[in-house]
Amino acid sequence: MSPETHREKTPPPKGNPPVKEKTPPPKANSPFPSANSTPFKPGTAADSRAGVISTDKQSLMMPLEQDLQKTPIVEFVPMLKALLALQYQREIEPKRKASRQTHENEALQDPDTPQDWSERHFTAMLESAIKFCNDPTRSAYLKENLRKAFRTKSETQRYQPLVLGLNSILSDFQASRIGELEASNDFVFMVNDPFIIKSADVSASGVDDPSLRLSKDAPQCTERKPDIFDPKIAYLRKLMPENQHFELDDWINVVGHRLKELKDARDKASPTDKTSWDDISHCWELKAYHILRELHLAFLEQTGGFTVENVLDPDKTALLEAKSDGKAALQKRHVDLMSEGTPNNGQKRPREDDHEAKGRKKHKSGSSSGSKGRSKSSGSRGRSQSNGNKGRSGNSGGSRSNTPTGNGGSNVPSGGNGNGSSASAPTLNPAMQCGFYGVELLRSKWDRTHAIVMLLEDERLSLRWHDAQGCIGTESIDIIAQLPLLVVMILLFQRFGKQMRGNAGWTLQGKVDGKDLEYALPDHARSGWEMKGRRLVVATPLVPGDPAEPAPAATHRTRRVVGKKEPALKRSEDLFFKLSWREETRDNEAHIIETAKERAKYYLKERAGDVLNHLPDIKHSKSDLLFSTGFIRELLDINKDGARVPSFMLSQKLHSLDTVKPTDIVARLWEIIRCHYLLWQIGIAHGDISYWNLMVRNTGNGTYGVVNDFDLAAIMTPGQQSPTKQGFERTGTKPFMSLVLLGAEPGETIQRRCAHDAESVIWCLAWYVTQGMDNWREGSYIQVGLVKGGWVDKAHTRVLPANYRPGSEHLWRPLITLLENWKGRQQQVFNKGTLEYSDKINLEMIEGGLSCPKRPDGEEWDWMSWTVKEEDIREEDRVFVKTD
């Protein structure tokens, strides 16, 4: 609701009861998102975003654009080596450890480091790829289709020959073992013809309420996209069950030459068997700008023309001498063409259709090989890409064009794929389009850890790695001059296990109430529309049910095996699941909650129930450091600050504040305020009080308010007034953050205090009474602060908001009065420094506006004055950081 909603021309007469202001009713089904807060750090563009995004296309694009602005750019070969090293960490080393334990040789150590293993296997793959490319018989089909693709300017006409060429690599190497890596042969490349994969619902993460999902009018930014993808053969077998006996080559023939038959099978498939983003591992975006010259393509025809040297550095290494003078001249011309694209001489590599480009902006395709073969040991570092396609000076002395392209205004036309785009689809530059694919892949499954997207702009290929820490892009390579590198990348994908394809494969099990429990998640459980951050997934888990009961419709569609009977599962009425990609520097949420409970018992003794009864009941928790986003950044020698690790938790189910009656809401909030204050006194700062993090627990003894979601919390020394650990100064969810925090400048030093969270509780009550103030969440911190502050100034105690919650009329006047008084005092304390800070005065101010109900048992005590005495603090509870 805008501030203007509360403006009145004349004050109402005194003594009149509150009247409902006559304004247009709010839109139906206003979405209430799951909280998804992001910590603020000076110098970053971190933003608190909710799991549900507006249907406006800009609301989808802006967060993604911010996430992509500082994409580090690395060279292509070091990225391939980093992927191999990561494969060693995630797939090879765990198998070796399991084997040693089986053979009781636990004392033996692996002789390999991830980097050593990577170097050895990359060298083996490159040698295999060069032999393949230099063999005119083995590589003929690949080269023929590359020629077909790049001799047409039509983007759509390139798709099928590229798919045929890529699949020929899979076919040739399907029986090859390279080092310790065997081909999996469980996927093929396929054209999205005209569109097979569609965007998943942009909805609240893990919501069970269909009304919280966005309308179908939401922009489908990946409609008719991507251009090429890699469905699993298991998916194809499900589509065409009569072909269960087909092997890799048979399916390559189907996707290459039996397209009508495949399309008919897709059309007849049931909705649950339609292709979706969770059926693929990687995808490709293609952009066609030019027809390649014959001189450029002629390099494909040379016998024995590829060597390690000219593949890794085609700009500076001479090609092998040809057998005839004519070919030698042709090769020399090719080297000249490859060196003409540097901005140093202001020239571009000539293309056959350059004359058609007059009068329009030309696409810049740098001559960089993007691959000097350097790894961390040779000191390579990623470059940060921000706001534009900036060149850089490489070791070769030439300025190179960084790909991905920038995220600001792009000179690159986006268009569709030639099949006609959806009317609602925004026009995106290639980097943004690839970013959308990355988000779609990341949120396609609840346990998706990363996504890999390729961008092929004419013959220039770059790769993008997406995870919860953001995007890492590579410089582009020329897949004509460096064809073996394309082959190496495909060989690598062919040898990836499920972990390297982004599927963690976590088994959800734990000991709940003393019993082992294995559970699952429903299909709709996925993160919100975001690339990086906590990527919160929340859902009601599915637990084993009565074998006689039918299994629900949505229970891991993609993990079913044809002919296998699924166990009966049912929604748990008592449990709640949450996955969060927390920052490595932050404490695990379950650890914070257990620390809070243990400290409450020690310091509060018989009063511990005022904390224990109002905290989540954690049944099981786990963090998996193996999937830290910092590993690949460390391998690439780029900044790993902000690395995130997946942490999941199973807890007792709680209920939202919407389930609380208006007559009871004040009592529940006071239980929360008391618990929060006592937590702060024993050294636990929550840092993210929001409407969705305040909940209630229903028990046989009544209903309790609960402070939930501690994954942005900080552990302090008992009695400490403010967390001193960096990154806790300004956390929260914008609609509920205090005005002081919202109004602070990004570089301003802020001491996080108990009052900031206490004010958030008051804003939660305002949200409850008004049933959601959607415009509070839009804009920057300062903009949201101005909107909220203006709302308080313009609200009148006798004029109810248009969308007030029925039955909450009695709360409106004291709420607005409290907010006015609170706002004035906090400004005097924090901004003007004319009043001293006091938790007790703040609590008394809240009590003066909203009286704290008496307890039914009559057990009252002066908790507002309670603190931990210095002499009572245990040594193990002292957090050894500098305090002011």
Side-chain angles (χ1 to χ4, degrees):
M1 180 180 300
S2 64
E4 286 73 20
T5 303
H6 303 277
R7 185 182 294 118
E8 58 177 350
K9 294 183 179 179
T10 57
K14 293 182 178 180
N16 286 355
V19 294
K20 182 178 178 181
E21 185 180 9
K22 295 182 178 181
T23 57
K27 294 181 180 179
N29 295 330
S30 176
F32 289 176
S34 298
N36 197 358
S37 312
T38 305
F40 171 87
K41 290 184 180 179
T44 71
D47 193 14
S48 300
R49 298 197 296 272
V52 174
I53 308 297
S54 165
T55 58
D56 175 64
K57 72 178 183 182
Q58 196 64 21
S59 297
L60 290 176
M61 293 171 66
M62 281 178 56
L64 179 59
E65 190 170 21
Q66 291 173 1
D67 287 347
L68 292 174
Q69 276 179 355
K70 294 185 178 180
T71 298
I73 305 300
V74 299
E75 293 179 346
F76 195 85
V77 166
M79 173 61 86
L80 296 185
K81 291 180 179 179
L83 293 178
L84 275 165
L86 200 62
Q87 183 175 22
Y88 175 82
Q89 290 177 316
R90 292 186 178 181
E91 296 177 353
I92 304 301
E93 193 174 27
K95 290 180 182 178
R96 287 184 175 183
K97 288 181 179 178
S99 177
R100 287 199 304 271
Q101 291 174 356
T102 302
H103 294 87
E104 299 180 353
N105 290 325
E106 296 184 46
L108 296 178
Q109 297 295 320
D110 280 330
D112 282 321
T113 66
Q115 291 87 344
D116 292 339
W117 191 91
S118 169
E119 287 287 346
R120 189 168 67 252
H121 282 75
F122 176 81
T123 299
M125 284 188 179
L126 183 57
E127 290 173 352
S128 298
I130 289 174
K131 288 180 182 178
F132 168 78
C133 294
N134 285 338
D135 188 321
T137 302
R138 293 175 62 194
S139 60
Y141 197 60
L142 169 63
K143 294 175 180 179
E144 174 190 341
N145 281 286
L146 287 178
R147 174 178 285 278
K148 284 181 181 178
F150 294 127
R151 287 302 294 165
T152 175
K153 189 178 178 181
S154 168
E155 189 173 296
T156 54
Q157 290 179 15
R158 294 186 179 185
Y159 300 158
Q160 191 64 12
L162 283 169
V163 161
L164 293 173
L166 295 174
N167 282 335
S168 73
I169 302 173
L170 297 179
S171 177
D172 187 274
F173 286 91
Q174 62 181 301
S176 299
R177 180 185 179 95
I178 301 176
E180 295 182 49
L181 299 176
E182 293 182 352
S184 57
N185 300 324
D186 58 355
F187 74 92
V188 292
F189 292 102
M190 182 174 167
V191 178
N192 196 8
D193 180 26
F195 58 95
I196 300 172
I197 303 176
K198 295 185 178 181
S199 295
D201 288 336
V202 183
S203 61
S205 55
V207 292
D208 295 317
D209 184 357
S211 68
L212 298 186
R213 302 188 178 218
L214 287 188
S215 72
K216 296 299 181 183
D217 296 330
Q220 303 294 293
C221 297
T222 51
E223 190 77 21
R224 301 180 181 271
K225 293 284 189 174
D227 302 320
I228 296 174
F229 64 99
D230 57 350
K232 301 186 187 84
I233 287 178
Y235 157 73
L236 295 173
R237 287 192 174 121
K238 189 166 53 176
L239 265 187
M240 305 173 71
E242 69 277 9
N243 297 326
Q244 292 296 311
H245 61 286
F246 275 15
E247 299 297 335
L248 175 65
D249 284 337
D250 300 311
W251 289 115
I252 287 176
N253 182 53
V254 169
V255 300
H257 305 288
R258 295 167 57 182
L259 300 180
K260 185 179 185 306
E261 184 181 346
L262 183 59
K263 182 180 183 303
D264 291 342
R266 291 200 314 266
D267 293 342
K268 295 174 184 177
S270 65
T272 57
D273 287 336
K274 295 288 186 183
T275 317
S276 63
W277 284 94
D278 59 4
D279 289 311
I280 69 176
S281 298
H282 315 102
C283 61
W284 297 59
E285 168 74 356
L286 269 63
K287 305 305 293 183
Y289 302 106
H290 303 283
I291 299 172
L292 264 62
R293 277 180 171 270
E294 279 291 347
L295 287 172
H296 195 66
L297 291 169
F299 190 61
L300 296 172
E301 309 306 324
Q302 300 171 93
T303 301
F306 292 105
T307 67
V308 172
E309 290 76 15
N310 65 31
V311 166
L312 296 181
D313 194 354
D315 291 357
K316 303 183 76 175
T317 304
L319 303 176
L320 290 178
E321 292 183 0
K323 294 181 180 178
S324 67
D325 293 340
K327 278 201 171 182
L330 191 61
Q331 290 172 351
K332 182 180 184 304
R333 177 56 182 153
H334 177 77
V335 175
D336 294 340
L337 289 176
M338 288 301 298
S339 63
E340 285 178 3
T342 64
N344 286 347
N345 55 21
Q347 295 178 342
K348 275 186 58 179
R349 184 162 71 247
R351 309 285 184 121
E352 290 192 356
D353 62 347
D354 275 353
H355 65 280
E356 298 176 4
K358 291 181 179 180
R360 65 178 177 86
K361 295 179 179 179
K362 297 181 181 180
H363 170 63
K364 297 179 181 179
S365 181
S367 64
S368 168
S369 70
S371 51
K372 305 303 175 193
R374 297 184 302 176
S375 64
K376 181 178 178 180
S377 60
S378 61
S380 68
R381 286 190 174 272
R383 272 77 59 195
S384 177
Q385 166 214 319
S386 175
N387 293 336
N389 192 10
K390 299 179 181 179
R392 71 164 181 94
S393 295
N395 292 338
S396 61
S399 178
R400 302 178 184 273
S401 171
N402 279 351
T403 306
T405 55
N407 303 304
S410 175
N411 293 336
V412 180
S414 168
N417 61 5
N419 295 320
S421 58
S422 170
S424 62
T427 300
L428 305 175
N429 65 40
M432 282 285 286
Q433 189 69 65
C434 290
F436 269 94
Y437 302 157
V439 176
E440 291 280 15
L441 286 168
L442 283 174
R443 64 188 303 268
S444 63
K445 297 177 183 174
W446 70 269
D447 60 349
R448 193 79 176 229
T449 58
H450 68 265
I452 296 177
V453 179
M454 277 67 66
L455 172 62
L456 183 61
E457 300 177 281
D458 287 337
E459 81 284 18
R460 308 295 300 187
L461 175 69
S462 57
L463 180 150
R464 287 156 175 74
W465 167 280
H466 302 282
D467 61 24
Q469 198 173 342
C471 176
I472 304 172
T474 71
E475 291 182 341
S476 62
I477 61 167
D478 183 328
I479 64 169
I480 303 299
Q482 299 168 276
L483 182 60
L485 288 184
L486 170 66
V487 176
V488 169
M489 185 184 76
I490 302 304
L491 295 183
L492 186 56
F493 291 170
Q494 190 180 29
R495 282 148 186 79
F496 275 170
K498 64 181 181 180
Q499 285 85 2
M500 283 306 296
R501 292 181 184 173
N503 303 320
W506 289 307
T507 300
L508 296 179
Q509 60 185 13
K511 196 172 287 291
V512 177
D513 297 331
K515 297 180 180 178
D516 291 329
L517 174 70
E518 186 167 337
Y519 57 98
L521 296 185
D523 278 345
H524 65 251
R526 59 172 65 94
S527 63
W529 186 266
E530 57 187 340
M531 175 178 292
K532 65 181 184 179
R534 289 164 65 195
R535 291 190 52 226
L536 194 69
V537 177
V538 294
T540 299
L542 303 171
V543 297
D546 188 333
E549 295 178 0
T555 56
H556 284 294
R557 176 181 67 84
T558 60
R559 296 187 182 179
R560 288 178 182 158
V561 178
V562 176
K564 181 181 177 181
K565 239 183 177 180
E566 287 291 325
L569 296 172
K570 65 177 182 180
R571 281 167 47 90
S572 171
E573 298 302 322
D574 305 312
L575 298 174
F576 177 77
F577 173 86
K578 171 182 171 182
L579 167 69
S580 177
W581 286 79
R582 65 174 174 85
E583 288 186 78
E584 278 186 340
T585 55
R586 292 183 179 273
D587 293 309
N588 180 275
E589 180 177 8
H591 169 68
I592 294 173
I593 293 171
E594 290 307 311
T595 299
K597 290 180 177 180
E598 196 276 331
R599 287 188 181 185
K601 292 174 184 176
Y602 179 81
Y603 291 107
L604 285 164
K605 297 180 173 55
E606 70 275 6
R607 306 292 187 184
D610 283 351
V611 170
L612 300 179
N613 292 335
H614 308 286
L615 292 177
D617 182 6
I618 307 300
K619 303 295 186 181
H620 176 70
S621 68
K622 179 182 178 182
S623 293
D624 197 336
L625 297 177
L626 182 64
F627 292 93
S628 168
T629 63
F631 283 143
I632 192 167
R633 287 159 177 82
E634 197 169 20
L635 290 165
L636 289 167
D637 198 21
I638 58 180
N639 191 349
K640 62 172 284 188
D641 289 349
R644 293 180 176 271
V645 295
S647 301
F648 42 91
M649 198 166 64
L650 192 67
S651 59
Q652 183 187 43
K653 182 177 288 187
L654 300 171
H655 304 279
S656 73
L657 291 180
D658 283 330
T659 63
V660 180
K661 297 178 181 179
T663 52
D664 298 330
I665 188 65
V666 173
R668 301 290 79 78
L669 290 181
W670 267 109
E671 291 170 348
I672 287 168
I673 292 170
R674 181 178 61 227
C675 172
H676 172 265
Y677 171 78
L678 295 175
L679 283 172
W680 202 282
Q681 300 310 309
I682 61 176
I684 307 294
H686 188 278
D688 187 20
I689 298 294
S690 74
Y691 190 80
W692 307 286
N693 291 344
L694 303 185
M695 308 191 80
V696 292
R697 177 189 294 118
N698 298 323
T699 71
N701 295 325
T703 301
Y704 297 91
V706 176
V707 184
N708 196 31
D709 199 354
F710 281 78
D711 54 1
L712 291 183
I715 297 178
M716 310 179 292
T717 301
Q720 187 176 321
Q721 289 192 331
S722 180
T724 52
K725 194 172 183 180
Q726 185 180 9
F728 292 84
E729 301 91 345
R730 196 177 179 187
T731 63
T733 305
K734 283 190 294 187
F736 311 100
M737 290 174 68
S738 74
L739 295 177
V740 170
L741 293 179
L742 289 171
E745 295 294 335
E748 185 177 345
T749 301
I750 302 173
Q751 274 199 328
R752 188 60 177 258
R753 305 298 287 269
C754 182
H756 297 136
D757 283 4
E759 181 179 330
S760 295
V761 178
I762 305 173
W763 287 115
C764 290
L765 179 59
W767 191 277
Y768 174 89
V769 172
T770 60
Q771 299 191 85
M773 309 290 284
D774 285 344
N775 63 317
W776 285 2
R777 74 181 101 189
E778 301 296 337
S780 66
Y781 285 91
I782 292 178
Q783 287 170 333
V784 173
L786 291 174
V787 170
K788 288 170 60 178
W791 182 84
V792 173
D793 294 338
K794 293 178 176 64
H796 198 286
T797 56
R798 296 182 188 146
V799 180
L800 287 170
N803 56 339
Y804 79 98
R805 185 182 298 270
S808 65
E809 298 88 343
H810 66 289
L811 299 173
W812 180 249
R813 184 179 296 176
L815 171 64
I816 297 304
T817 301
L818 173 59
L819 280 170
E820 289 173 344
N821 295 337
W822 182 277
K823 177 182 174 183
R825 175 171 179 81
Q826 304 312 311
Q827 286 178 341
Q828 287 183 300
V829 172
F830 290 102
N831 295 344
K832 299 179 182 178
T834 55
L835 292 176
E836 288 189 13
Y837 178 88
S838 169
D839 284 330
K840 184 170 184 179
I841 291 177
N842 287 327
L843 292 171
E844 289 174 343
M845 180 179 293
I846 299 174
E847 211 279 335
L850 298 164
S851 297
C852 181
K854 299 293 184 183
R855 300 193 196 202
D857 57 12
E859 291 289 329
E860 303 295 339
W861 63 290
D862 188 15
W863 59 268
M864 293 186 188
S865 302
W866 185 85
T867 59
V868 177
K869 297 178 181 179
E870 176 65 27
E871 59 270 21
D872 293 337
I873 299 175
R874 296 179 299 183
E875 193 63 25
E876 60 265 34
D877 292 338
R878 294 186 183 275
V879 180
F880 293 100
V881 292
K882 183 180 178 181
T883 57
D884 295 330

